[in-house]
Amino acid sequence: MTLKFTLLFLPLLAHIVNSQQPTTFDIGKYGGKPNANIAEALSSAWKEACAATTPSTIVVPKGTFLLNQLKLVGPCKAPIELQVQGTIRAPSDYTQLPDKNAEWITINYVDHLTISGGGIFDGQGKEAWTKNDCGKNPNCVKLPINLSFNFITNSIIHDVTTQDSKNFHVNVIGCKNVTFQQFTVSAPGESINTDGIHIAKSEGIYVLNSVIKTGDDCISVGDGMKELHIEGVTCGPGHGISVGSLGKGATEEDVTGIYVKNCTFIGTQNGIRVKTWPSAPAKLKITGLHYEDIIMDNVENPIVIDQEYCPWNQCKLDSPSLIKISEVTVKNIKGTSASPVAVSFVCSKTVPCENVEMGDIDLTYSGTQGPITTKCSNIKPTFVGKQNPPICANATQSS
């Protein structure tokens, strides 16, 4: 492009950019006030912004605002941004929610959504955690998720925090091309069932340069997931980054293309983990799992494949998992294990793990429970580079 053409083109470009400057919808103009419920104000602002034919920004200014429950639905006519600069707080008593079967904040069917602003979504979950018995009681009370995204496309959530959710912090279902960047999850290690980001039945999801501190999986992957990219994430406290648990539902869909790179786990229960249920009907496939350049800092179970996942004795181990795990690479994993079993591969007797490649593993253990070791069954990995400790030296293969 010549300089003359560029100079002629710049005013036209400036006109295009200026004509697309977003219209601002401040919730204060709709009656939103600090320390008061802003559900009606946010709903009204969303309705107008979503109907706009040019880009729009809904602003929750600095300050503390209350919100009993909210559902925002598209499609919208143009790109839309929810800019949260302040703190939005949920009721601490989950029984106060108008719809007991819904989440705290739900956003559905929106293309080109942005959530930003540096603010906090505070679920005030401490009271609810003490009453959570869902691990042992199948008829337990359903607790609300902080942020539920359903059928969102071409969107980004960045520079905001979800704090102390009563249940999962974020649930992503049926979404495509969505990025979480510089996103923060904050909850204590003892908070129950507070997965940071749960993602299922979605494609092209990115979690980048984010910090997740919680009481359950930092990121959990459900069925039907394709192309998930996790990079630059710091996890801990928490239960690690997990594919699964999978297998309980007969119609569960395949999982493929999970990439975890340049991540750090600090004091977590697990590092990278895959978990499937035995004695379960699902026959889906888990393929294309790639883990690379990961630091483990005092992690109890750094590398895990567990196809006998059965918490609280909710199942029987007599019937192996029917889920096939294959095409897995684990490369350049360094750091310290908090237990002597640094690597545990417990694969299915019926469908053993296949095409698992391990490269340059360097994990140490300085505890008093014995020498560092690995546990392997129904798997024959291949190796590249050095392995410390020696992996699967005493592996068993069921006939």
Side-chain angles (χ1 to χ4, degrees):
M1 183 182 293
T2 66
L3 179 61
K4 181 177 179 180
F5 183 82
T6 302
L7 292 174
L8 288 171
F9 180 72
L10 281 175
L12 176 60
L13 179 61
H15 172 75
I16 293 171
V17 171
N18 290 332
S19 68
Q20 293 298 308
Q21 289 299 309
T23 304
T24 299
F25 297 81
D26 192 303
I27 63 164
K29 297 178 181 178
Y30 298 86
K33 298 178 181 179
N35 302 309
N37 181 22
I38 59 170
E40 186 174 342
L42 254 177
S43 294
S44 297
W46 177 271
K47 185 176 180 180
E48 286 196 28
C50 192
T53 55
T54 56
S56 57
T57 300
I58 300 166
V59 176
V60 178
K62 291 183 178 180
T64 299
F65 300 87
L66 308 181
L67 178 66
N68 60 1
Q69 200 166 35
L70 184 68
K71 187 174 185 179
L72 304 175
V73 180
C76 297
K77 294 184 177 179
I80 188 167
E81 178 175 3
L82 176 59
Q83 189 179 102
V84 178
Q85 300 172 3
T87 296
I88 301 177
R89 284 185 175 161
S92 58
D93 183 357
Y94 59 88
T95 63
Q96 293 180 13
L97 297 183
D99 185 350
K100 304 298 188 296
N101 294 314
E103 313 307 345
W104 178 37
I105 298 174
T106 302
I107 304 179
N108 296 344
Y109 299 103
V110 182
D111 187 34
H112 293 291
L113 168 71
T114 298
I115 298 179
S116 67
I120 298 171
F121 296 92
D122 184 358
Q124 296 207 101
K126 292 180 181 179
E127 180 182 333
W129 302 332
T130 64
K131 300 175 182 178
N132 188 333
D133 63 349
C134 293
K136 302 176 183 178
N137 177 13
N139 300 314
C140 65
V141 175
K142 182 183 183 296
L143 297 172
I145 292 167
N146 261 14
L147 300 170
S148 179
F149 299 110
N150 304 286
F151 311 105
I152 305 298
T153 54
N154 306 310
S155 297
I156 182 167
I157 298 94
H158 68 93
D159 296 288
V160 290
T161 295
T162 167
Q163 175 177 296
D164 291 348
S165 181
K166 296 175 179 67
N167 198 334
F168 292 3
H169 282 267
V170 178
N171 197 37
V172 178
I173 301 293
C175 296
K176 187 172 184 177
N177 192 25
V178 174
T179 296
F180 293 84
Q181 188 164 10
Q182 292 177 273
F183 184 75
T184 301
V185 175
S186 178
E190 63 270 19
S191 57
I192 298 175
N193 205 37
T194 53
D195 289 35
I197 306 175
H198 178 74
I199 312 165
K201 299 186 186 303
S202 298
E203 182 176 356
I205 308 298
Y206 296 79
V207 184
L208 309 174
N209 304 321
S210 296
V211 176
I212 302 176
K213 301 178 180 182
T214 194
D216 210 299
D217 292 333
C218 290
I219 300 172
S220 57
V221 181
D223 77 298
M225 187 65 228
K226 299 177 182 178
E227 295 298 317
L228 169 61
H229 297 260
I230 302 167
E231 186 167 352
V233 169
T234 299
C235 167
H239 292 183
I241 295 176
S242 296
V243 176
S245 63
L246 293 169
K248 269 195 164 183
T251 60
E252 289 181 10
E253 301 172 4
D254 293 350
V255 171
T256 183
I258 310 298
Y259 301 84
V260 181
K261 187 174 182 179
N262 290 329
C263 292
T264 300
F265 298 83
I266 303 173
T268 51
Q269 185 183 91
N270 307 285
I272 53 177
R273 176 170 63 155
V274 183
K275 47 184 178 175
T276 74
W277 291 83
S279 301
K283 296 183 179 180
L284 67 145
K285 297 177 182 178
I286 301 174
T287 61
L289 308 182
H290 304 286
Y291 305 95
E292 187 174 0
D293 301 334
I294 292 172
I295 295 173
M296 305 287 181
D297 183 355
N298 197 38
V299 173
E300 189 172 341
N301 304 293
I303 303 171
V304 179
I305 294 177
D306 183 5
Q307 295 206 259
E308 294 181 353
Y309 180 73
C310 188
W312 299 293
N313 296 316
Q314 295 182 57
C315 61
K316 296 180 179 180
L317 298 177
D318 54 352
S319 180
S321 173
L322 302 177
I323 296 175
K324 181 74 172 184
I325 298 173
S326 63
E327 309 299 333
V328 180
T329 59
V330 183
K331 297 181 178 180
N332 195 28
I333 314 296
K334 293 178 168 55
T336 55
S337 174
S339 75
V341 182
V343 179
S344 178
F345 289 148
V346 179
C347 294
S348 170
K349 296 178 181 178
T350 301
V351 280
C353 297
E354 287 187 347
N355 297 326
V356 177
E357 181 182 294
M358 307 289 292
D360 293 315
I361 310 300
D362 188 5
L363 295 169
T364 61
Y365 169 67
S366 58
T368 59
Q369 300 176 46
I372 192 168
T373 186
T374 64
K375 178 182 179 181
C376 300
S377 59
N378 306 304
I379 183 172
K380 292 181 178 179
T382 57
F383 302 104
V384 176
K386 297 180 179 179
Q387 316 300 323
N388 178 42
I391 296 171
C392 299
N394 299 310
T396 62
Q397 191 79 14
S398 298
S399 58

